[in-house]
Amino acid sequence: MKKAMAALALTLAATTAKAEVLTYDCTLHRMEQGWISERVILSVDAENKRARAYDAYIHHYGGQQPKDVRFKTTRKGEYRLMWNMKIPASNGGLLSVNYTAKLNPEKKRLDLTARFPQSNALNRPSGYGGCTVQSDESLYDS
């Protein structure tokens, strides 16, 4: 009986932990070509203050694996996710790119901005769009 109760407790704990992660599949309208993917997938575990991101740039230049990102909750209840990438530049070197995503979980809206901290680039590529919640998938399953 004790073994059955322990197994049930472990099953319930695993189910509860998985339910805490929400995955947002977002389609973005880009303000300019390049640096911002048309599709971004974010898995957010707000309770444990962690998140992962995956897009075309992470796929091609980040090892084809979801990327752990920095996670904050704003006073407005939105999620701020931040990550850095090294992406090949046209001059043959690597360009450091800082991404900041603002996800509104109630409106299911994502705003994404790219910045170039080590260059004199004045442009800040950005995109915005809507997201759908994927309840059966998570970037933490990978």
Side-chain angles (χ1 to χ4, degrees):
M1 181 69 168
K2 287 183 182 179
K3 288 182 182 179
M5 292 301 282
L8 178 62
L10 285 173
T11 302
L12 288 174
T15 303
T16 303
K18 184 170 176 76
E20 296 169 347
V21 177
L22 291 177
T23 298
Y24 298 87
D25 189 344
C26 307
T27 303
L28 300 180
H29 169 71
R30 299 177 297 170
M31 303 309 285
E32 62 182 70
Q33 293 299 314
W35 309 110
I36 302 291
S37 294
E38 292 179 343
R39 182 174 177 214
V40 178
I41 300 171
L42 303 166
S43 285
V44 176
D45 181 355
E47 186 174 316
N48 293 311
K49 298 182 179 172
R50 66 184 187 143
R52 282 190 174 168
Y54 193 71
D55 67 5
Y57 288 96
I58 293 169
H59 177 81
H60 290 292
Y61 307 114
Q64 301 181 358
Q65 295 295 319
K67 186 168 185 62
D68 288 320
V69 302
R70 293 183 303 278
F71 174 89
K72 290 183 182 181
T73 303
T74 68
R75 287 184 229 166
K76 295 179 181 181
E78 296 174 332
Y79 304 143
R80 179 163 291 134
L81 312 170
M82 296 158 282
W83 65 95
N84 304 321
M85 296 287 303
K86 298 280 188 190
I87 298 175
S90 59
N91 66 4
L94 289 177
L95 187 61
S96 181
V97 184
N98 293 348
Y99 288 95
T100 301
K102 184 174 68 171
L103 176 65
N104 185 320
E106 287 183 22
K107 294 181 180 179
K108 295 179 182 71
R109 178 183 165 85
L110 179 69
D111 293 296
L112 182 63
T113 305
R115 290 189 172 84
F116 310 98
Q118 296 174 337
S119 72
N120 292 327
L122 296 176
N123 65 330
R124 291 187 179 165
S126 61
Y128 63 91
C131 304
T132 58
V133 177
Q134 305 293 317
S135 58
D136 59 339
E137 295 183 23
S138 169
L139 296 176
Y140 285 99
D141 294 339
S142 319

